[in-house]
Amino acid sequence: MSLFRVNKPRGFQHNYIYYDPRKEKLEKIEENAKRELGLLPDKEFEPEDIRGKFVSATRHLKRRKERGRKPISSGILIAIIVVLIFVMKYIYTGRIF
């Protein structure tokens, strides 16, 4: 029944060969420590630094981001519409069929 189920394309996942996120995180921690000690000058403001900070600050936004939003499938939507039509018909006429 291809009317109610639409096949999704296979997801794309690109793994970098020469990128180590752990190393980058350690370098960032090291750089922040040097700035706090005064060994490096203060860093200029970059909008990229605050990206995602507001979402991670609240529990409900963090849960929503982790969970994601799943759209209602077309089969469920059609079933809801049919049920609503029967309810409206029953309200107006007093009979189901």
Side-chain angles (χ1 to χ4, degrees):
M1 291 181 64
S2 64
L3 177 66
F4 297 113
R5 180 178 291 179
V6 178
N7 293 335
K8 293 182 181 178
R10 186 170 40 132
F12 178 76
Q13 181 179 3
H14 179 72
N15 296 324
Y16 295 103
I17 298 173
Y18 301 110
Y19 175 71
D20 187 11
R22 182 177 175 268
K23 182 178 178 183
E24 184 176 302
K25 187 176 180 180
L26 288 173
E27 287 174 355
K28 193 177 281 188
I29 291 171
E30 186 178 317
E31 182 181 335
N32 288 337
K34 286 182 181 179
R35 287 190 197 289
E36 288 179 5
L37 292 173
L39 300 175
L40 292 175
D42 288 336
K43 188 175 176 183
E44 290 184 25
F45 173 74
E46 293 181 18
E48 191 66 32
D49 293 340
I50 63 170
R51 181 165 293 177
K53 299 293 182 182
F54 299 109
V55 171
S56 63
T58 58
R59 277 184 273 146
H60 67 279
L61 290 177
K62 201 183 310 183
R63 272 188 264 134
R64 178 188 282 178
K65 185 176 181 184
E66 289 171 0
R67 191 172 42 217
R69 303 287 294 188
K70 295 181 182 176
I72 298 176
S73 68
S74 60
I76 294 173
L77 189 61
I78 290 172
I80 291 171
I81 291 172
V82 168
V83 168
L84 286 175
I85 289 172
F86 280 119
V87 168
M88 293 300 293
K89 185 177 180 192
Y90 178 74
I91 290 172
Y92 286 127
T93 64
R95 294 182 295 147
I96 293 178
F97 297 107

